Amino acid sequence: MESLNKFKILTIIFICMFVFVVAAIYANTKDVTEGKVKLKNSAENSQVQSDVDNEMANGTENSEVVSNLEMQIDTLNKRVDELNEKLNNSGSASSTGLNCRIIGAMTDNGIEQLTEEAAVQEAKINNREMVITCSF
Protein backbone atom coordinates (compact mmCIF):
# COMPACT_ATOMS: atom_id res chain seq x y z
CA MET A 1 0.00 0.00 0.00
CA GLU A 2 2.85 2.36 0.66
CA SER A 3 4.04 2.10 -2.94
CA LEU A 4 0.53 2.90 -4.10
CA ASN A 5 0.56 6.13 -2.06
CA LYS A 6 3.95 7.08 -3.53
CA PHE A 7 2.57 6.35 -6.99
CA LYS A 8 -0.47 8.61 -6.33
CA ILE A 9 1.77 11.41 -5.09
CA LEU A 10 4.10 11.11 -8.09
CA THR A 11 1.11 11.11 -10.44
CA ILE A 12 -0.34 14.24 -8.82
CA ILE A 13 3.07 15.97 -8.99
CA PHE A 14 3.45 14.96 -12.65
CA ILE A 15 -0.04 16.28 -13.49
CA CYS A 16 0.62 19.53 -11.63
CA MET A 17 3.94 20.01 -13.46
CA PHE A 18 2.23 19.27 -16.77
CA VAL A 19 -0.48 21.86 -16.05
CA PHE A 20 2.20 24.38 -14.98
CA VAL A 21 4.21 23.81 -18.20
CA VAL A 22 1.09 24.15 -20.38
CA ALA A 23 0.13 27.37 -18.55
CA ALA A 24 3.65 28.79 -18.97
CA ILE A 25 3.67 27.98 -22.69
CA TYR A 26 0.22 29.55 -23.11
CA ALA A 27 1.23 32.74 -21.26
CA ASN A 28 4.48 33.05 -23.25
CA THR A 29 2.70 32.44 -26.56
CA LYS A 30 0.01 34.98 -25.63
CA ASP A 31 2.63 37.65 -24.84
CA VAL A 32 4.55 37.03 -28.07
CA THR A 33 1.35 37.08 -30.12
CA GLU A 34 0.22 40.36 -28.55
CA GLY A 35 3.63 41.89 -29.26
CA LYS A 36 3.50 40.80 -32.91
CA VAL A 37 -0.06 42.08 -33.28
CA LYS A 38 0.90 45.47 -31.83
CA LEU A 39 3.92 45.68 -34.13
CA LYS A 40 1.84 44.72 -37.16
CA ASN A 41 -0.89 47.23 -36.26
CA SER A 42 1.62 50.03 -35.82
CA ALA A 43 3.20 49.19 -39.19
CA GLU A 44 -0.23 49.13 -40.86
CA ASN A 45 -1.18 52.44 -39.20
CA SER A 46 1.99 54.11 -40.44
CA GLN A 47 1.40 52.68 -43.94
CA VAL A 48 -2.21 53.92 -43.93
CA GLN A 49 -1.05 57.34 -42.74
CA SER A 50 1.55 57.56 -45.50
CA ASP A 51 -1.08 56.45 -48.05
CA VAL A 52 -3.43 59.16 -46.81
CA ASP A 53 -0.65 61.75 -47.02
CA ASN A 54 0.16 60.65 -50.58
CA GLU A 55 -3.50 60.80 -51.59
CA MET A 56 -3.79 64.29 -50.12
CA ALA A 57 -0.74 65.38 -52.14
CA ASN A 58 -2.16 63.79 -55.28
CA GLY A 59 -5.50 65.44 -54.59
CA THR A 60 -3.91 68.89 -54.59
CA GLU A 61 -2.00 68.02 -57.77
CA ASN A 62 -5.20 66.77 -59.39
CA SER A 63 -7.09 69.89 -58.36
CA GLU A 64 -4.30 71.99 -59.91
CA VAL A 65 -4.58 69.99 -63.14
CA VAL A 66 -8.38 70.38 -63.19
CA SER A 67 -8.04 74.08 -62.45
CA ASN A 68 -5.51 74.44 -65.27
CA LEU A 69 -7.84 72.54 -67.63
CA GLU A 70 -10.75 74.77 -66.66
CA MET A 71 -8.63 77.87 -67.34
CA GLN A 72 -7.67 76.51 -70.76
CA ILE A 73 -11.33 75.76 -71.58
CA ASP A 74 -12.31 79.27 -70.48
CA THR A 75 -9.55 80.73 -72.67
CA LEU A 76 -10.75 78.64 -75.61
CA ASN A 77 -14.33 79.78 -75.01
CA LYS A 78 -13.22 83.42 -74.94
CA ARG A 79 -11.29 82.98 -78.20
CA VAL A 80 -14.27 81.35 -79.87
CA ASP A 81 -16.55 84.14 -78.62
CA GLU A 82 -14.10 86.78 -79.90
CA LEU A 83 -13.89 85.07 -83.26
CA ASN A 84 -17.66 84.82 -83.37
CA GLU A 85 -17.99 88.55 -82.60
CA LYS A 86 -15.41 89.45 -85.26
CA LEU A 87 -17.21 87.36 -87.86
CA ASN A 88 -20.58 88.83 -86.91
CA ASN A 89 -19.21 92.38 -87.02
CA SER A 90 -17.55 91.90 -90.41
CA GLY A 91 -20.74 90.51 -91.89
CA SER A 92 -19.04 87.51 -93.47
CA ALA A 93 -20.63 84.99 -91.13
CA SER A 94 -24.20 83.87 -91.14
CA SER A 95 -26.65 85.11 -88.53
CA THR A 96 -26.09 82.00 -86.39
CA GLY A 97 -22.33 82.62 -86.16
CA LEU A 98 -19.86 79.96 -85.22
CA ASN A 99 -21.31 76.61 -84.17
CA CYS A 100 -19.06 74.38 -82.07
CA ARG A 101 -19.76 71.02 -80.54
CA ILE A 102 -17.78 68.38 -78.67
CA ILE A 103 -17.41 65.19 -80.69
CA GLY A 104 -15.56 63.00 -78.19
CA ALA A 105 -12.07 62.22 -76.92
CA MET A 106 -8.83 61.39 -78.71
CA THR A 107 -7.45 57.90 -78.02
CA ASP A 108 -4.44 55.99 -79.33
CA ASN A 109 -6.69 54.35 -81.93
CA GLY A 110 -8.35 57.58 -83.07
CA ILE A 111 -11.40 59.55 -82.04
CA GLU A 112 -13.79 57.92 -79.59
CA GLN A 113 -17.25 59.44 -80.05
CA LEU A 114 -18.80 60.37 -76.70
CA THR A 115 -21.47 62.65 -75.35
CA GLU A 116 -20.35 66.11 -74.30
CA GLU A 117 -20.44 65.26 -70.58
CA ALA A 118 -18.62 61.96 -71.09
CA ALA A 119 -15.94 63.64 -73.23
CA VAL A 120 -15.33 66.31 -70.58
CA GLN A 121 -15.10 63.63 -67.86
CA GLU A 122 -12.77 61.55 -70.03
CA ALA A 123 -10.53 64.60 -70.52
CA LYS A 124 -10.50 65.38 -66.81
CA ILE A 125 -10.05 61.87 -65.46
CA ASN A 126 -7.89 60.15 -68.06
CA ASN A 127 -5.95 63.16 -69.41
CA ARG A 128 -7.31 62.64 -72.91
CA GLU A 129 -7.67 65.40 -75.50
CA MET A 130 -11.21 66.54 -76.33
CA VAL A 131 -12.20 66.73 -79.98
CA ILE A 132 -14.24 69.87 -80.80
CA THR A 133 -15.56 70.75 -84.24
CA CYS A 134 -16.67 74.20 -85.27
CA SER A 135 -18.58 75.32 -88.35
CA PHE A 136 -20.08 78.54 -89.66
Side-chain angles (χ1 to χ4, degrees):
M1 284 299 211
E2 290 179 17
S3 65
L4 186 64
N5 285 336
K6 287 180 184 179
F7 181 73
K8 285 182 182 179
I9 291 173
L10 286 175
T11 305
I12 291 173
I13 290 173
F14 180 75
I15 291 173
C16 289
M17 287 182 65
F18 179 75
V19 169
F20 176 76
V21 168
V22 169
I25 291 172
Y26 172 76
N28 190 23
T29 305
K30 182 180 174 185
D31 292 342
V32 169
T33 304
E34 286 176 357
K36 286 183 179 180
V37 167
K38 286 181 183 178
L39 182 63
K40 182 179 177 183
N41 286 342
S42 67
E44 286 178 357
N45 287 342
S46 65
Q47 180 64 32
V48 167
Q49 184 62 35
S50 72
D51 289 347
V52 167
D53 292 342
N54 289 340
E55 286 298 321
M56 293 297 286
N58 287 342
T60 57
E61 290 174 7
N62 288 342
S63 66
E64 291 174 6
V65 169
V66 169
S67 175
N68 189 19
L69 181 62
E70 288 174 353
M71 289 185 343
Q72 289 175 350
I73 290 173
D74 288 340
T75 304
L76 181 61
N77 284 335
K78 287 177 186 176
R79 289 182 182 173
V80 168
D81 289 341
E82 289 173 2
L83 181 61
N84 194 13
E85 287 177 20
K86 286 180 184 178
L87 291 174
N88 284 336
N89 290 339
S90 67
S92 63
S94 64
S95 62
T96 59
L98 191 61
N99 295 322
C100 293
R101 66 184 188 115
I102 298 174
I103 298 292
M106 183 64 86
T107 64
D108 295 335
N109 298 331
I111 298 172
E112 180 181 353
Q113 292 185 350
L114 299 170
T115 63
E116 290 182 4
E117 294 83 16
V120 170
Q121 288 298 322
E122 188 74 17
K124 285 182 181 178
I125 295 172
N126 296 326
N127 287 334
R128 298 241 172 110
E129 294 179 0
M130 280 192 303
V131 178
I132 302 173
T133 59
C134 297
S135 62
F136 294 102

